[in-house]
Amino acid sequence: MGKLTLVAGPIGNLGDLTARAAETLRTADLWFVEDSRVSAKLLGHLGVSKPMRVLNEHTSDYKLAEYIKELSDLHGVVLSDGGTPCVSDPGAMLCDLAHESG
């Protein structure tokens, strides 16, 4: 069964990322990100390489459904560009669909 974890990205300084968030990002199979250019900096900071899927206000319902299928047996992370994800951003849609699908 898949897993989706929410990770708050550091605001302003990559060094502010918590140890727990860093470990979660290192062990996840893929990242759902607002902007891959911003998240690529975090990949470099952590010294890892992960596939990223863009999740923003332009992500279609069709693409969200594809993401849910992809998550069925993977560990995905919703990573905000800064601050807590899914309060008032597109990550909420993916979280709702993941919850509904179990």
Side-chain angles (χ1 to χ4, degrees):
M1 176 172 275
K3 178 179 176 179
L4 186 64
T5 304
L6 310 180
V7 175
I11 299 174
N13 187 329
L14 295 177
D16 291 339
L17 186 69
T18 67
R20 183 173 177 192
E23 182 62 22
T24 300
L25 292 169
R26 282 186 188 101
T27 60
D29 297 307
L30 69 138
W31 294 4
F32 295 97
V33 302
E34 294 177 66
D35 185 333
S36 59
R37 297 167 297 184
V38 173
S39 299
K41 294 175 187 174
L42 193 51
L43 279 173
H45 177 74
L46 294 172
V48 297
S49 178
K50 299 289 177 176
M52 290 188 275
R53 307 291 184 264
V54 175
L55 179 64
N56 59 32
E57 66 273 7
H58 305 293
T59 304
S60 68
D61 291 342
Y62 174 80
K63 192 56 101 172
L64 286 170
E66 283 186 348
Y67 290 166
I68 291 298
K69 288 178 190 173
E70 190 173 18
L71 273 172
S72 66
D73 57 354
L74 298 175
H75 177 199
V77 169
V78 175
L79 174 65
S80 67
D81 283 349
T84 304
C86 299
V87 174
S88 62
D89 65 36
M93 296 178 290
L94 184 66
C95 289
D96 288 345
L97 290 172
H99 181 27
E100 290 170 12
S101 69

